[in-house]
Amino acid sequence: MTLFSLARWWGIVLKEFLQLRRDRITFGMIIGLPIVQLALFGFAINADPRHMPTAVVLHDHSEYTRSFVTAMRQSTYFDIAGSLDSEEAARAALAQGRVQFVLMVPPGFTRELLRGERPALLIEADATDPAATGMALAAAGEIAQSVLRHDLRGPDSRLAGQPAPFEVRVHRLYNPEGNSQYNTVPGLMGVILTMTMVMMTGLAMTRERERGTMENLLATPVRPIEVMTGKIIPYIAIGLIQATIILLAARWVFHVPFTGSLVSIYCAALLFIAATLTVGITLSSLAQNQLQAMQLTMFYFLPNILLSGFMFPFRGMPQWAQYIGNVLPLTHFNRLIRGILLKGNGWWDLWPSIWPLLLFTAVVMAIAVKFYRRTLD
Amino acid sequence: MSDYAIDVQGLTKQFGDKRVVDGVSLQVRRGEIFGFLGPNGSGKTTSIRMMCGLLTPDAGSGQCLGYDIRSQADEIKRRVGYMTQKFSYWDDLTLRENLDFVARVYQMPDRRERVERTLEELGLAGRARQLTGSLSGGWKQRLALAACLLHEPQLLLLDEPTAGVDPTARRDFWEELHRLAARGISVLVSTHYMDEAERCHKLAYIAYGRLLAQGTADEIIAAQQLATWTLYGDGLVELAQTLRDAPGVEQTVAFGNALHVSGRDAATLEITLRELAQQQQRRLEPAQTTLEDVFIYMMKRSADNFGSGARP
Ligand SMILES: Nc1ncnc2c1ncn2[C@@H]1O[C@H](COP(=O)(O)OP(=O)(O)O)[C@@H](O)[C@H]1O
Ligand SMILES: [Mg+2]
């Protein structure tokens, strides 16, 4: 008896494709879900939040510092909530989340400015949610370029040229990676794939059981590994379609930079899809019915969303949460896709996130085959 | 190779604390049509599933086509055609797609041809592209039989294949079974119908998970040693009431205008009935004990013995 027969396996693959094609609702969901999620999450992060509470710590007062503060307020990104008198007070305000930004003007700023020494203004930002701070910080940089043009007159106008007469130094707190808003759209790819892939395959086996066709399937010589992998194949195709939709949106709607190669992106996506599908098929053989399969899917989905670095910065999580996070495929996929898209990482840089995915897939597949019930007991 | 297509001993299966199949042993010879009878819930489906490796017996052992039912399920599956009680092909595939799937998983060499030929033979070539879910019950049954014959099995396990099928279709179905048996294919078929039971070479009767009788119809009838008489006339219901506790009478079964009265004590029964016939001016004739009389008799006795509590 052959351990794996391509002919039998192909029989399963064809059957699944045909059934999927006739299942309009599922098919619609597969295409609709990424679009809805992109619209929700994607545009939510792009909402470009404004009027964020900002405190100032002024160790130096002059018309220049006043102009800068006014320009910040006029940009509508910053609402000046008040003035604090020490750095400690500012840190506390940031830590407690009372303000999003603190502007610090060091002592002697005006004097150094007029001497042409290019002094620095410091903006401390609570960058926990990079989407919230990114645009505002960019605006602050532009203000620095333009604000003093009008104020520097007469003999001081020589300072008004390029580059700006002073520097804005940004300090992103709590999120040392300084993630940009581009972080979320690539992250969304893994989230959407996790959700649809696990859910669809989660139902694959329980559906056979509930319709009574499992008895027929079990009575044939098909082997567990053939059923498992055969049922997965059509969803790999579906996953790649979803990935493409998200990539198109990332590129043309959200203008995420594509630093790395498209081939790497698809390879990473393929690897992640495989890992996720094995989870789905395992849940499917563990669950007794479709309801249980859905519950198990949610049970799997939550830690993935919370602990993978998608919701919260990974390094900001407590150690135990990082341990859990490191077991989840979404964590590694997030690193892969961000690494490829934003940093242009090559295979060698990606390897630390690739082998965990490979290992995960192999282990989970082994569990799936072990738990596949070959009888109706 | 053994003479038996099925040879199992002491098959037992328990669900929870309910023993659904209890020590079932049966032998089906090659080329034989073997009828498996018993009331609903008596354990027929469970027994069949154990024979083809779909359920693991809690106790007992045996062989199917010479392969061990516990350890060689794979070999058995390739050589057995199993038709489930509930239609279990895919409703969202077309007829052709279902047959094609079956042909692929059994790795049939001339797949395409075989599928087309099967469709032709079924007279379904014109509806090959129709979704299976839209077929009527009779057609589904024919499709299921064709599908489980597609890989040329040596043994057919048919679980109530004719339930809910009209008499003409049933007759065609049984003719087909006899043609298959003539070609050397062994058939185990479970059924409720007495006329079907009579068309089997051999029979087994199961109730409450226990096999009560096994053999040819004549052997089963003879083994119960029942004498049976037929009473004719009106008012058979009242007559049956009167006879219930009469000496020698163990069972009455109404067949249209006739009442079958059976009992083991032939002499006492005869005296009782002759007296009654005399009194009521009824026609009384000695009768052949039928399979149905015997099955009802066995069923009742087993209910008295171990059915209490097992049946709602
Ligand atoms: N998987 C199962 N779990 C629990 N009880 C079962 C299961 N399958 C069958 N039974 C019970 O076993 C008894 C025998 O069922 P079955 O073998 O289907 O009888 P039959 O086919 O003769 O009608 C029934 O009472 C049924 O409820
Ligand atoms: Mg049954």
Side-chain angles (χ1 to χ4, degrees), chain B residues 9 11 73 88 118 137 229 231 255 264 282 292-293 298 304:
Chain B
Q9 289 88 33
L11 286 190
S88 63
T118 305
W229 294 77
L231 279 164
F255 287 91
R264 281 194 187 211
R282 281 178 190 276
E292 190 152 9
D293 296 323
M298 285 193 287
D304 294 344

Side-chain angles (χ1 to χ4, degrees), chain A residues 227-241:
Chain A
V227 177
M228 297 272 175
T229 54
K231 276 181 170 291
I232 279 178
I233 293 293
Y235 295 100
I236 290 185
I238 298 289
L240 289 176
I241 294 174

Side-chain angles (χ1 to χ4, degrees), chain A residues 1-2 5-8 10-12 14-15 18-19 21-22 208 210-223 374-377, chain B residues 13 15 45 49 52-56 74-75 77-78 80 82 84-94 97 100-101 104-107 131:
Chain A
M1 183 86 188
T2 37
S5 145
L6 262 177
R8 285 196 303 249
W10 186 239
I12 300 270
L14 284 179
K15 162 180 163 297
L18 289 168
Q19 289 185 295
R21 210 185 63 195
R22 300 216 170 92
E208 303 268 6
E210 280 181 17
R211 290 183 187 171
T213 49
M214 195 68 191
E215 185 170 8
N216 200 334
L217 204 57
L218 287 174
T220 69
V222 195
R223 303 198 138 251
R374 305 208 56 189
T375 62
L376 293 166
D377 288 282
Chain B
K13 184 74 189 179
F15 289 121
T45 301
R49 283 174 175 168
C52 62
L54 284 181
L55 281 175
T56 320
D74 283 332
E75 300 294 338
K77 285 175 186 176
R78 285 204 297 180
V80 168
Y82 172 40
T84 55
Q85 181 172 353
K86 181 178 171 290
F87 182 75
S88 63
Y89 287 87
W90 288 267
D91 280 345
D92 50 355
L93 294 184
T94 65
E97 286 162 358
D100 196 64
F101 174 74
R104 280 179 197 274
V105 295
Y106 284 97
Q107 297 174 273
L131 286 187

